[in-house]
Amino acid sequence: MKRVIVTGANGFVGAAVVKELLLHGIEVHAVGHAGNFSRLVDCEGLSKYSWDMHDVKGLSEVLPTADYDLFYHFAWQGSAGEARADTRLQLQNAQWTVEALELAYNLGCRRFVSAGSIMEHETMAAAYTQGNRPGVGYIYGGGKLIAHVMCMSVAAKLGMDLVWPEITNAYGVGEVSPRMVNTTIRKCIKGEAPQFTAGTQNYDFVYIDDVARAFYLIGEKGKPFHEYLIGSSTARPLKEFLLEMKLSIAPNLDFIFGDISFTGINLPLSSFDCSETERDTGFKAEVSFAEGTRRTMAWLREMEEEK
């Protein structure tokens, strides 16, 4: 792998992957929405291109003609917050992903790697559990699942290698979304007692540096038409993670469990198995949840002080 294209290059995961690829001497053609590259510093081997997802095919007129090895697709609107429940947007994201795959093929890329989610498995379970009434968060999961299925069929038709990593729950330095780890740490900084469900549902978290390294290794070594879970290999009930966080960053603060109802799907621990990822790519998460939350808290404090 010598030359790659990365869409969504200024996003939380995309930017981390770009930096990891550059560390390995890989030439990166980074594509960002509206020319926003605030997370990426100019350096040798990095080229930047402004792009709007509404015109995926038009990217072929922007990127230089070259021998590209791989196309990483991270561009996805509405991955957090209320937009996760926007049916039209999530369906459009799936279509954009298919168009990005077709673009990669037309550009001569041999492999296409997108960013899937463990929410795909939760969505399947939610949809096919009799009597279940899925929450609106599964609309986002449905978009990822649709993108996965359609890309598999289109890639098979084109004769192109598709590799589909699935992230459990990425967190860490650089994330600004209102997802649980970020929100909880911000409350800890303010001295507010965070509230949760009973925390009995199985969960996993993986630090952003590990996520970036996983994408590099999966892109390099992953088998075509395989899905690879990116996690910590320490999946367990959510409450155990949160108590680890409490001990690490807020030992004197109350973490309140049970005040919020859990309406989601509880996947079995087997769904979080990363053994195939480890076996095929050599990836193994290195940053513990305690260490990762300490790093994230320190960064969030710095951000607050700079305001």
Side-chain angles (χ1 to χ4, degrees), residues 205-269:
F205 294 97
V206 57
Y207 189 68
I208 187 60
D209 291 1
D210 283 328
V211 173
R213 189 163 49 83
F215 270 102
Y216 161 67
L217 290 169
I218 291 169
E220 183 79 24
K221 302 178 180 180
K223 297 177 181 178
F225 292 91
H226 278 58
E227 59 184 69
Y228 290 102
L229 195 67
I230 300 176
S232 70
S233 294
T234 62
R236 53 197 188 272
L238 174 60
K239 186 175 183 178
E240 294 185 20
F241 277 106
L242 295 173
L243 290 176
E244 182 178 351
M245 177 195 288
K246 169 180 163 60
L247 183 63
S248 176
I249 67 171
N252 298 319
L253 194 64
D254 287 334
F255 276 32
I256 302 171
F257 295 94
D259 278 9
I260 299 174
S261 298
F262 174 65
T263 58
I265 291 294
N266 186 17
L267 293 175
L269 284 174

Side-chain angles (χ1 to χ4, degrees), residues 165-183:
E166 294 170 343
I167 306 170
T168 52
N169 288 281
Y171 74 98
V173 172
E175 184 182 18
V176 294
S177 80
R179 298 195 310 144
M180 183 171 58
V181 170
N182 231 20
T183 301

Side-chain angles (χ1 to χ4, degrees), residues 6-306:
V6 180
T7 67
N10 197 57
F12 175 50
V13 174
V17 174
V18 168
K19 294 170 186 175
E20 180 71 19
L21 294 169
L22 291 169
L23 286 175
H24 292 275
I26 297 169
E27 181 181 316
V28 178
H29 293 260
V31 182
H33 178 69
N36 182 10
F37 294 101
S38 58
R39 298 176 189 262
L40 299 178
V41 178
D42 290 337
C43 64
E44 184 178 354
L46 175 64
S47 300
K48 303 174 185 176
Y49 308 88
S50 179
W51 175 57
D52 188 326
M53 288 177 68
H54 291 83
D55 183 25
V56 175
K57 296 178 182 178
L59 186 55
S60 61
E61 301 174 4
V62 176
L63 289 166
T65 301
D67 183 17
Y68 298 107
D69 298 299
L70 193 148
F71 193 114
Y72 282 102
H73 182 64
F74 295 108
W76 190 281
Q77 294 184 7
S79 58
E82 294 181 359
R84 287 168 70 98
D86 187 329
T87 55
R88 187 180 299 274
L89 177 60
Q90 298 305 335
L91 286 170
Q92 184 63 75
N93 277 319
Q95 179 60 38
W96 283 329
T97 303
V98 173
E99 292 177 6
L101 170 65
E102 294 170 335
L103 172 65
Y105 174 77
N106 292 331
L107 289 171
C109 295
R110 294 183 286 274
R111 289 163 72 83
F112 184 86
V113 177
S114 191
S117 169
I118 197 168
M119 280 290 292
E120 297 172 43
H121 297 271
E122 288 188 36
T123 300
M124 286 286 288
Y128 292 102
T129 298
Q130 295 284 57
N132 185 46
R133 300 186 182 191
V136 293
Y138 289 109
I139 293 171
Y140 162 79
K144 287 289 186 179
L145 181 60
I146 292 168
H148 187 173
V149 174
M150 292 197 301
C151 282
M152 287 181 71
S153 296
V154 173
K157 177 183 178 181
L158 294 175
M160 186 176 184
D161 288 352
L162 173 72
V163 188
W164 199 267
E166 294 170 343
I167 306 170
T168 52
N169 288 281
Y171 74 98
V173 172
E175 184 182 18
V176 294
S177 80
R179 298 195 310 144
M180 183 171 58
V181 170
N182 231 20
T183 301
T184 301
I185 294 176
R186 288 180 185 276
K187 286 184 177 180
C188 290
I189 291 173
K190 295 177 182 178
E192 300 174 4
Q195 297 175 303
F196 310 98
T197 66
T200 57
Q201 67 269 37
N202 293 323
Y203 231 81
D204 196 10
F205 294 97
V206 57
Y207 189 68
I208 187 60
D209 291 1
D210 283 328
V211 173
R213 189 163 49 83
F215 270 102
Y216 161 67
L217 290 169
I218 291 169
E220 183 79 24
K221 302 178 180 180
K223 297 177 181 178
F225 292 91
H226 278 58
E227 59 184 69
Y228 290 102
L229 195 67
I230 300 176
S232 70
S233 294
T234 62
R236 53 197 188 272
L238 174 60
K239 186 175 183 178
E240 294 185 20
F241 277 106
L242 295 173
L243 290 176
E244 182 178 351
M245 177 195 288
K246 169 180 163 60
L247 183 63
S248 176
I249 67 171
N252 298 319
L253 194 64
D254 287 334
F255 276 32
I256 302 171
F257 295 94
D259 278 9
I260 299 174
S261 298
F262 174 65
T263 58
I265 291 294
N266 186 17
L267 293 175
L269 284 174
S270 58
S271 296
F272 298 88
D273 184 5
C274 299
S275 59
E276 185 171 3
T277 309
E278 295 171 5
R279 181 177 65 250
D280 287 357
T281 72
F283 169 75
K284 181 76 174 179
E286 297 176 351
V287 182
S288 70
F289 192 58
E291 174 60 25
T293 52
R294 279 195 295 269
R295 295 183 189 180
T296 307
M297 186 176 198
W299 176 75
L300 286 171
R301 285 188 185 278
E302 289 179 8
M303 294 301 101
E304 288 297 320
E305 291 172 359
E306 290 177 3

